[in-house]
Amino acid sequence: ARPVEPDKIRRMLEAARWTMSSYNEQPWRYVVASRHEDPEGYEKILRCLAEGNRAWAEHAPVLMLSFYETTFSHNGRPNRSAKHDLGAASAALTFQATAMDLYVHQMAGIRTEAIREAFDLPETVEPMAGLAVGDLGDPEMLGENRQESERAPRSRKSLGDFAFGPEWSAPSDIVADE
């Protein structure tokens, strides 16, 4: 429930701003609202999240939505790197938040049509994700099924599952001894 200071939000967005991008296009866009500073904007974003995400995201002091421009501004052609660039910007934003002892939970569960309508998006802008920002929450405040998921051990694929050598799906020799 502790508010996130506006300066910290700006620093997170500054980290996103300085992320590399194809042709320096910087195709990312964010809508940001603090429950404490802009309750109306906060509710507008909250209504754009999928129902399962709303149940717990409503406790975060800051909500964001991320977007990307689908075309290059210099020639109007499709920007196939835009999603990658937005992901990099959101990662930089997340790393900055972590350095300030904040947590960012990115959510693919968004209502894209509701977002398009609520924010009157241009055709060349696509919604990508929701982001909840704040202190680490207590799993006790979640429903029982979500508590179990939140407390479950985290697992990741091995390096050999995604770092290949010259043969597709064969682990690179560099990671084979993992």
Side-chain angles (χ1 to χ4, degrees):
R2 183 175 61 97
V4 176
E5 298 88 347
D7 181 61
K8 287 185 177 181
I9 297 168
R10 280 191 293 278
R11 286 172 35 202
M12 291 166 50
L13 292 167
E14 245 336 277
R17 183 167 82 102
W18 285 98
T19 302
M20 75 290 175
S21 64
S22 179
Y23 289 98
N24 196 27
E25 185 70 22
Q26 303 165 49
W28 49 83
R29 305 290 182 268
Y30 295 92
V31 170
V32 183
S34 163
R35 181 176 45 203
H36 301 92
E37 307 270 332
D38 180 11
E40 232 175 79
Y42 184 91
E43 285 298 318
K44 187 175 179 180
I45 294 173
L46 188 62
R47 287 190 302 270
C48 292
L49 300 179
E51 188 176 332
N53 285 329
R54 269 183 270 156
W56 65 265
E58 68 186 354
H59 300 287
V62 175
L63 293 178
M64 299 182 182
L65 293 171
S66 65
F67 305 81
Y68 63 94
E69 290 276 351
T70 60
T71 57
F72 285 110
S73 60
H74 69 277
N75 63 13
R77 292 190 175 148
N79 180 352
R80 73 177 199 85
S81 300
K83 290 180 191 179
H84 175 273
D85 295 347
L86 169 59
S90 292
L93 179 153
T94 300
F95 298 148
Q96 180 61 48
T98 301
M100 298 182 297
D101 295 321
L102 292 170
Y103 290 80
V104 176
H105 182 93
Q106 297 186 43
M107 303 164 276
I110 57 173
R111 301 173 54 227
T112 56
E113 288 311 310
I115 292 170
R116 288 198 159 289
E117 188 175 311
F119 294 97
D120 194 27
L121 298 181
E123 281 185 33
T124 60
V125 173
E126 286 294 322
M128 178 55 82
L131 299 88
V133 181
D135 293 320
L136 185 61
D138 181 358
E140 292 294 322
M141 61 199 257
L142 302 172
E144 196 171 307
N145 62 336
R146 296 219 184 254
Q147 286 182 32
E148 191 176 311
S149 169
E150 205 51 41
R151 289 191 174 112
R154 305 286 185 212
S155 65
R156 306 306 292 170
K157 292 180 179 180
S158 71
L159 293 177
D161 287 336
F162 65 85
F164 306 147
E167 302 290 325
W168 183 257
S169 79
S172 165
D173 291 341
I174 296 169
V175 300
D177 294 322
E178 177 201 358

